[in-house]
Amino acid sequence: MIIVLSTLTDWSSCSHGSPGYYQQLDETESDMKAPTFDLTAHIRSVPGWPEPHVVFRDICSLLEDRKVFKQVIDLFVERYREIKIDAVVGIDARGFIIGSPIAYLLDVGFIPIRKKGKLPGDTISEAYELEYGQAEVEVQTAWLREGHHIVLVDDLIATGGTMVAALNLLQRIGVDILESSAIIDLPDLGGSKKIADMGVNVHTFCEFDGH
């Protein structure tokens, strides 16, 4: 998989989920002429972890290389540099690792979505299904407001449970979700399709087949 550096421009005139939004996204990406690099070569695959049938896609190998880590953050930053964004929202916990430097370089706020019980003050929470049982995530409500423009980021989209729960939280607040973005997509697990079916634009920079 070859990853291409891209920049989106002037989304302020495109409402979230509208035909114009997606047309502008497609036109921008078709005009990309920036340098490329093979991002998948820097992501470690660990067979049999945490379950025997799983191949774990480990971004730690990407983070360990300062040049590659910088290139990955730059991919996100260049994609959103010209867009009106009020905050980057990151999902616990790897979404914090990539979301914070993205927010810093875009000169916007960073909002964490955490596991239930980890945030003080007024919060709202959302439960989602796991293979065995349930989990819950929450976000503070002190700052985010209806109409804020946000980008939701995480390291990977697999079954989509955590990201869908995070999106439900943000939709309850009434923010404008410009995009749900991650480094890696595992399309065979269906998470990115679930997100798209919610009417939220999805972007990842590489994908792997299988689990």
Side-chain angles (χ1 to χ4, degrees), residues 12 55 117 189:
S12 59
V55 179
L189 297 182

Side-chain angles (χ1 to χ4, degrees), residues 6-11 14-32 78-80 83 178-181 200-205:
S6 65
T7 304
L8 298 179
T9 57
D10 192 18
W11 277 6
C14 298
S15 62
H16 158 62
S18 68
Y21 177 99
Y22 295 109
Q23 180 181 359
Q24 188 162 12
L25 188 61
D26 293 340
E27 288 174 353
T28 303
E29 293 189 339
S30 68
D31 291 338
M32 293 183 298
E78 290 304 316
R79 183 167 181 80
Y80 303 119
I83 305 165
L178 299 176
E179 193 158 72
S180 186
S181 187
V200 176
N201 197 47
V202 185
H203 183 80
T204 58
F205 292 101

